[in-house]
Every structure is written in structure tokens, then in C-alpha cells.
């Protein structure tokens, strides 16, 4: 499981339409936005190439200036189903 966070810079007048476009991308979630044209999003996918495809889709949305990768984490699916204990 690949989990990636991005900051997406958008023309302020296009913010709403870009949000609609991102919501349509499988595995994309918007966690924050600013009216000046900034979005904080995460992407989840099974493979790194799927993440890159999603980033490309975002970059091609009308009004997107830049999509900057902030962080990527890879986790084995089995470990996501393990119980976490606190000592």
C-alpha cells in the first residue's frame, strides 16, 4: 500500500473545479484547502506507478499550477491488519 501526500497549488479562481476533479480520482482525499489556491491531499494506491498516474491526472486538471510531492510511505497490506498494542 502506497500512501503519498501532496500540496497542490491552484489558480484561486479554479479552486472549486480542481477540487471536483480531484474528488473523482480513485484513492485521492482532500484534507485541507486555502482560498489562495492551496490544497493538501493524500493518495492511496497499490503500486507506485498508480500514484504517479494520479499525480499526472492532478497536474493535467485545468487551473493546477503545480503538484508537489511531500511524503510517501509504503506499507505491507498484512501489517495494516495487525492490532497495535501500547505498552
Amino acid at each position: 500500500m502506497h500512501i503519498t501526500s501532496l500540496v497542490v497549488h491552484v489558480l484561486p479562481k479554479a479552486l472549486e473545479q480542481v477540487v471536483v476533479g480531484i474528488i473523482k480520482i480513485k484513492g485521492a482525499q482532500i484534507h485541507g484547502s486555502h482560498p489562495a489556491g492551496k490544497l493538501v491531499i493524500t493518495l492511496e494506491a497499490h503500486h507506485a506507478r498508480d500514484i504517479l498516474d494520479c499525480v499526472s491526472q492532478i497536474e493535467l486538471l485545468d487551473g493546477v499550477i503545480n503538484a508537489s510531492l511531500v511524503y510517501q510511505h509504503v506499507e505491507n497490506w498484512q501489517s495494516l491488519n495487525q492490532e497495535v498494542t501500547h505498552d
Side-chain angles (χ1 to χ4, degrees):
M1 170 69 126
H2 290 256
I3 304 167
T4 302
S5 63
L6 301 149
V7 174
V8 181
H9 293 256
V10 178
L11 294 172
K13 65 182 180 184
L15 187 60
E16 204 170 302
Q17 77 182 34
V18 171
V19 166
V20 169
I22 290 172
I23 290 171
K24 293 178 183 177
I25 297 171
K26 183 180 177 188
Q29 294 181 340
I30 299 173
H31 298 279
S33 65
H34 190 278
K38 293 181 184 172
L39 298 168
V40 175
I41 67 169
T42 56
L43 301 171
E44 295 181 6
H46 295 287
H47 304 283
R49 71 177 175 272
D50 298 330
I51 293 289
L52 294 175
D53 288 344
C54 291
V55 173
S56 293
Q57 289 177 49
I58 291 168
E59 291 175 328
L60 292 173
L61 293 171
D62 285 337
V64 171
I65 299 168
N66 185 40
S68 300
L69 180 77
V70 176
Y71 181 78
Q72 182 170 356
H73 179 76
V74 179
E75 192 71 42
N76 186 324
W77 273 103
Q78 290 79 11
S79 68
L80 294 175
N81 292 323
Q82 293 177 348
E83 185 176 332
V84 177
T85 58
H86 300 282
D87 295 330

